[in-house]
Amino acid sequence: MTGLIDVTVPMSSSTPVFPGDPPFTLERVLSLADGGVCNLSRLDAGVHTGTHIDAPVHFIDGGAGVETTPLDALLGPAYVVDARAVTGHIDAATLQALDIPPEATRLLFRTRNSPRWSAGSFLEDFVAVAPDAAALLADRGVRLVGNDYLSIAPYGDPAPTHVALLTAGVVVLEGVDLARVDPGWHDLICLPILLVGADGAPARTLLRRR
């Protein structure tokens, strides 16, 4: 398939993780070189490593797990919002000033975060979606909201933004790398691992310019 842009952040030991999340490790537990019948590796990582989606249970006690995420929210037209000039967080006033088509139901915010994936360590001052903007997006009927760092919410106060989105049934997609993506309409293909009962899941995520 031509024209696809892979916006998935590669997962390795150098991938930044959110403070407190398990580190990423990939260990070869069986190898052909040592006489094994095959090469076999063990993966150990948090479900919010790299590019991933959040499930309601991530911030809502008794909420649904990843397996309940509607696939039709993860596939279809998505609008990449040019928010690179935003220096603070995206609050309601900032959101209303951005160029967002009213018919867009899947939004990905391209901010100054995207070029910073190569920093090699977690950066606390990433651009996030403030709670009042999250509530506004939920009221607009947006089905999916994504951003280009490890959390949709401001560092140090993650609950209000997440709760506003997840209680409204909005799928949260975090950790996409939009550095090579032009603002505007794209087709989104986002396929999270089917982890039953999990609060999140890594997701291979692709865009194609419409």
Side-chain angles (χ1 to χ4, degrees), residues 120-137:
S121 60
F122 180 80
L123 303 173
E124 297 181 0
D125 62 338
F126 61 90
V127 177
V129 176
D132 60 348
L136 186 59
L137 290 168

Side-chain angles (χ1 to χ4, degrees), residues 24 42 45 47 49 53 55 60 66 86 92-93 119 129 138 164 167 170 185 188 201 203:
F24 176 95
R42 172 179 174 169
V47 296
T49 302
I53 67 165
I60 302 169
V66 161
V86 177
V129 176
T167 56
V170 181
W185 285 104
L188 171 69

Side-chain angles (χ1 to χ4, degrees), residues 132-196:
D132 60 348
L136 186 59
L137 290 168
D139 289 343
R140 283 184 50 171
V142 170
R143 302 198 63 198
L144 178 143
V145 175
N147 75 326
D148 51 359
Y149 210 60
L150 287 170
S151 177
I152 196 76
Y155 180 72
D157 191 21
T161 293
H162 280 95
V163 171
L165 295 171
L166 295 172
T167 56
V170 181
V171 177
V172 173
L173 171 60
E174 298 172 326
V176 289
D177 181 357
L178 301 176
R180 297 181 296 115
V181 179
D182 293 328
W185 285 104
H186 296 74
D187 287 317
L188 171 69
I189 304 168
C190 177
L191 299 175
I193 300 173
L194 191 59
L195 301 175
V196 177

Side-chain angles (χ1 to χ4, degrees), residues 69-82:
T69 304
L71 287 178
D72 57 353
L74 300 167
L75 303 167
Y79 192 81
V80 176
V81 182
D82 189 354

Side-chain angles (χ1 to χ4, degrees), residues 81-92:
V81 182
D82 189 354
R84 285 172 290 180
V86 177
T87 55
H89 294 312
I90 301 170
D91 58 16

